[in-house]
Amino acid sequence: MTPEIYTNVTILDAGSEGKAVARVNDLVIFVPFVVPGDVVDIRVTRRKRNFLEGKAIKFHHYSEKRAEAFCEHFGTCGGCRWQNMGYEGQLFYKQKQVVDALQRIAGIEDPGVSPILPAAKTKYYRNKLEFTFSNRRWLLDPDKETEREAHEMNALGFHLPTFFDRVLDINNCYLQREPSNSIRREAKKYALEHQLTFYDPRTWQGFLRNLLIRTSENGGVMVILVFRTDEPEEIRSMLDHLAAAFPEITSLYYVINPKKNDVINDLELILYKGDPWITETFPAYRSGRMLEFRIGPVSFFQTNTPQAVELYRTAADFAGLEGFETVYDLYTGIGTIASFIAGSAGKVIGIDSVPAAVNDARENAVHNGIRNVVFHAGELEKMLDREFVRENGVPDLVITDPPRSGMHARVTREILAMAPPRIVYVSCNPATQARDILLMKEQYELVKCQPVDMFPHTQHVENVALLVRKDATGNGPR
């Protein structure tokens, strides 16, 4: 069958999922690894009812928005899909993504979006990465896929997009500072030299499964090795080797995961050497008092620490705290926002569905001497009800920072029932944020928004929105 090819197509936009957008005959075509302004020939790779997917096979004109990709894995690895676009262009399209979502989904003609806050660092900004050991390495030459037995197939790197059983072997990654790359390369070298088996995701066999590396601005380095089976001698030998090779490792864990999934939150994490946590330090809102957060192996913490501080400061500024307020911090995680604003509020009630995160939140509050915060563990859609409000007080302010899927519909309904004067909505997904704002639109007015770039060279953007109850602004019935 002859492939369907469109010629001299101008790339028009950058899509929210990392692919660029073109139009041919009133059909949208999503194309990866091109930049708005490029003029290309496109081979259609997939046809859907309302759109096409394609691949650029020839360039007639290169966009002025282009930049030279700096990573050797660009074009294959699923991360950093926008690194062939200049940073100013990235910021423009991230801001546009927020505006488009609020206009198209929430139906707000003028959402009042402030200029996006750029990241101070555009490389080595992540404090956490997870790598996968696999005996099914992705071969860059597709022709070699039929001759896999002739090649070294062990890999330590990232999963390919849409492939559960293929891993791209990573040489150098620009997302996390050293010693991340060195530790990963040494772990693979040791495994090959000692003939340790790499995991096979199809048969669920193999000794080595995952390598997680967490770093902190304070110099902490946490390494977590995940093994499928408990083989004490091999485990001890590999951990001792890494500890000796990298004395900068301050926390060394291992986990035995015999399951068919990679989730380790429900497993025993064994501290082999060093401290049980690494720490991040940043100033509390307004007071400037330094807060220290202890981060364990499965703690949730924003993966870009300097930008996280900017994100929290923006949320606190939007909150307009005067010192007396009762604040609900929904999806609190390890309580970073709650602790950050506690000194400027009357009391803060944090809720999260992950018990380990809530334990971390409580311990961090005690560690920092914060006494006006209370944390509850439980699913928000079940816990947040009239009885909870009676016990904890009607909130003057709700801060919500849900996962990418947005807030559960029951949570949204309960917020509307509580009717706090102000809501500060922190989101990592403008589309689901806009959906939730639409649900609250009749009762609340969107006053302002502040996008924050947490993840340079990707399509992801955070957005902080301030919603004010209409009767509180004089725009609606009391």
Side-chain angles (χ1 to χ4, degrees), residues 125 127 215 217 280 282 301-310:
Y125 57 82
N127 56 39
T215 55
E217 297 291 303
E280 290 286 11
F282 52 79
F301 194 84
Q302 289 282 358
T303 52
N304 184 337
T305 303
Q307 284 300 92
V309 177
E310 295 302 317

Side-chain angles (χ1 to χ4, degrees), residues 408-464:
H408 193 284
R410 290 180 184 171
V411 176
T412 306
R413 287 197 296 269
E414 196 56 42
I415 292 175
L416 291 173
M418 293 187 299
R422 296 189 307 284
I423 301 167
V424 176
Y425 191 144
V426 182
S427 174
C428 59
N429 186 341
T432 56
Q433 183 188 46
R435 177 205 67 198
D436 294 342
I437 289 173
L438 175 63
L439 295 175
M440 297 185 285
K441 186 178 175 182
E442 185 175 338
Q443 196 167 327
Y444 284 86
E445 178 184 3
L446 176 64
V447 175
K448 54 184 173 181
C449 291
Q450 178 61 72
V452 181
D453 184 22
M454 302 282 286
F455 307 105
H457 309 303
T458 78
Q459 71 274 17
H460 299 296
V461 59
E462 297 265 343
N463 186 50
V464 185

Side-chain angles (χ1 to χ4, degrees), residues 29 53 78 98 101 104 112-113 166 208 219 256 294 303 397 467 474 476:
I29 307 180
E53 294 181 1
V98 172
R104 177 174 51 87
V113 179
R166 281 287 186 270
L208 296 168
I256 309 300
R294 294 172 173 176
T303 52
L397 168 73
L467 304 170

Side-chain angles (χ1 to χ4, degrees), residues 71-130:
C71 179
E72 65 194 271
H73 304 297
F74 176 74
T76 307
C77 176
C80 303
R81 293 187 178 190
W82 282 8
Q83 66 175 266
N84 61 342
M85 191 191 309
Y87 190 51
E88 289 301 316
Q90 295 178 31
L91 295 175
F92 173 84
Y93 287 105
K94 291 187 184 198
Q95 173 126 358
K96 184 175 183 294
Q97 185 185 144
V98 172
V99 174
D100 287 351
L102 291 168
Q103 290 178 335
R104 177 174 51 87
I105 300 171
I108 300 173
E109 184 177 347
D110 182 9
V113 179
S114 298
I116 187 170
L117 292 179
K121 295 192 297 184
T122 59
K123 296 178 183 176
Y124 305 114
Y125 57 82
R126 286 187 66 100
N127 56 39
K128 179 185 176 183
L129 282 179
E130 179 174 352

Side-chain angles (χ1 to χ4, degrees), residues 127 216-218 279-295 300-313 316 332 334-342 364 367-368 370 454:
N127 56 39
S216 75
E217 297 291 303
N218 292 346
T279 64
E280 290 286 11
T281 305
F282 52 79
Y285 185 61
R286 287 181 180 161
S287 73
R289 182 170 73 90
M290 298 307 293
L291 301 175
E292 183 178 79
F293 292 92
R294 294 172 173 176
I295 302 165
F300 171 78
F301 194 84
Q302 289 282 358
T303 52
N304 184 337
T305 303
Q307 284 300 92
V309 177
E310 295 302 317
L311 186 74
Y312 301 154
R313 186 177 292 118
T332 190
I334 66 169
T336 44
I337 292 179
S339 294
F340 182 69
I341 65 168
N364 278 313
H367 177 65
N368 287 290
I370 300 171
M454 302 282 286

Side-chain angles (χ1 to χ4, degrees), residues 233-301:
E233 186 174 338
E234 285 81 358
I235 291 172
R236 184 170 55 251
S237 179
M238 186 170 188
L239 293 173
D240 284 342
H241 175 79
L242 290 178
F246 299 97
E248 56 266 57
I249 295 176
T250 57
S251 179
L252 183 58
Y253 278 88
Y254 74 94
V255 187
I256 309 300
N257 181 10
K259 303 182 301 177
K260 293 181 179 179
N261 63 62
D262 290 333
V263 177
I264 63 171
N265 296 26
D266 57 342
L267 300 172
E268 181 184 8
L269 287 102
I270 301 163
L271 179 63
Y272 187 74
K273 283 185 178 179
D275 300 322
W277 53 69
I278 56 177
T279 64
E280 290 286 11
T281 305
F282 52 79
Y285 185 61
R286 287 181 180 161
S287 73
R289 182 170 73 90
M290 298 307 293
L291 301 175
E292 183 178 79
F293 292 92
R294 294 172 173 176
I295 302 165
V298 295
S299 297
F300 171 78
F301 194 84

